[in-house]
Amino acid sequence: MAKKGKKYLDAAKKVDRNTYYAVEEAISLAKETSVANFDASVEVAFRLGIDTRKNDQQIRGAVVLPHGTGKTQRVLVFAKGDKAAEAEAAGADYVGESEYANKIQQGWFDFDVVVATPDMMGEVGKLGRVLGPKGLMPNPKTGTVTMDVKKAVEEIKAGKVEYRAEKAGIVHASIGKVSFSTEDLVDNFNTIQDVLAKAKPASAKGTYFKSVAVSTTMGPGVKVDTSNFKL
């Protein structure tokens, strides 16, 4: 187990591990206890009462955060003709067809999100073994397989984040940077919480929001009180 540094240990002392903080208080405390010497990301982890082995309890999607994430996403679009021109006009970083598929197969990954028009999925599908494990495969559920490439690119650039429940039912998401105001981070947090609440599977029984924690890059986790979460 890695040994924690003095800065981390000093910061962790400010967090009561037995206390569940209100959202605004938890985010303020996470910002206060950030130990990174750069503008760290603020992350939230939701542990949901779902069984991801069941098809109807797999949660996946995307949402545009009202205040963005503080990170500029590099977007690769697989499209041709008018749709390629549309993607370029919308601000996509890379637009093309098989030439980019070939580059990826040779180890090129200078992008964060992949968007594809449906007619290009035959080409992109060949990259499944490469893009899949990295979570980069386009998917209709997240709006990255679409004919409306203009909207897709603009939303990603505006702060769209994808979310997906992992095997243990945990959803991780970035809600911004430490430099963001607490109010903006709370808005972003509430947006994701609301989306997850609406995505609750009908077959999920018992407590849905089992636990929630907020943290910063390299900082201690702060537990969030979920008693007032709406479903």
Side-chain angles (χ1 to χ4, degrees):
M1 186 174 177
K3 186 177 179 181
K4 301 293 186 183
K6 184 177 183 301
K7 285 176 67 176
Y8 176 92
L9 294 174
D10 289 341
K13 290 176 183 176
K14 298 178 181 179
V15 181
D16 186 342
R17 294 177 63 86
N18 297 314
T19 297
Y20 292 82
Y21 298 87
V23 173
E24 185 172 349
E25 192 178 1
I27 289 174
S28 293
L29 190 53
K31 280 163 57 75
E32 182 187 340
T33 54
S34 175
V35 297
N37 57 4
F38 54 87
D39 191 10
S41 293
V42 181
E43 310 279 341
V44 61
F46 295 87
R47 187 164 69 91
L48 306 177
I50 58 174
D51 185 349
T52 56
R53 293 172 299 179
K54 298 179 179 178
N55 288 334
D56 63 341
Q57 292 193 29
Q58 293 178 1
I59 292 178
R60 182 175 187 178
V63 61
V64 179
L65 298 181
H67 305 287
T69 63
K71 178 184 178 183
T72 301
Q73 300 275 58
R74 298 166 298 174
V75 184
L76 164 62
V77 179
F78 283 94
K80 53 189 175 183
D82 292 344
K83 290 299 171 182
E86 195 177 298
E88 289 176 351
D93 299 273
Y94 310 101
V95 183
E97 301 177 47
S98 58
E99 69 273 25
Y100 281 107
N102 293 334
K103 286 186 69 173
I104 290 169
Q105 287 175 331
Q106 291 167 16
W108 177 76
F109 287 101
D110 290 342
F111 52 89
D112 304 297
V113 184
V114 181
V115 175
T117 53
D119 60 319
M120 290 299 299
M121 285 307 292
E123 186 75 42
V124 179
K126 300 173 185 176
L127 302 171
R129 290 185 179 179
V130 182
L131 297 179
K134 295 179 178 290
L136 292 170
M137 194 67 183
N139 189 298
K141 290 183 178 179
T142 60
T144 47
V145 177
T146 177
M147 287 301 288
D148 195 349
V149 291
K150 178 178 184 294
K151 179 183 178 183
V153 172
E154 288 177 346
E155 286 187 342
I156 292 165
K157 291 291 186 179
K160 185 176 185 178
V161 295
E162 294 186 14
Y163 57 87
R164 182 177 187 176
E166 298 173 359
K167 190 175 181 180
I170 299 174
V171 175
H172 292 277
S174 173
I175 57 171
K177 298 283 189 178
V178 169
S179 60
F180 282 26
S181 70
T182 298
E183 292 75 15
D184 286 354
L185 289 168
V186 169
D187 280 349
N188 283 351
F189 177 101
N190 288 338
T191 297
I192 292 180
Q193 190 266 317
D194 184 56
V195 164
L196 292 177
K198 291 175 179 174
K200 180 184 177 182
S203 60
K205 306 300 180 184
T207 302
Y208 182 55
F209 288 107
K210 284 185 169 292
S211 65
V212 180
V214 176
S215 63
T216 60
T217 308
M218 298 171 11
V222 183
K223 296 176 181 177
V224 176
D225 180 7
T226 64
S227 60
N228 293 321
F229 282 15
K230 295 179 181 178
L231 287 174

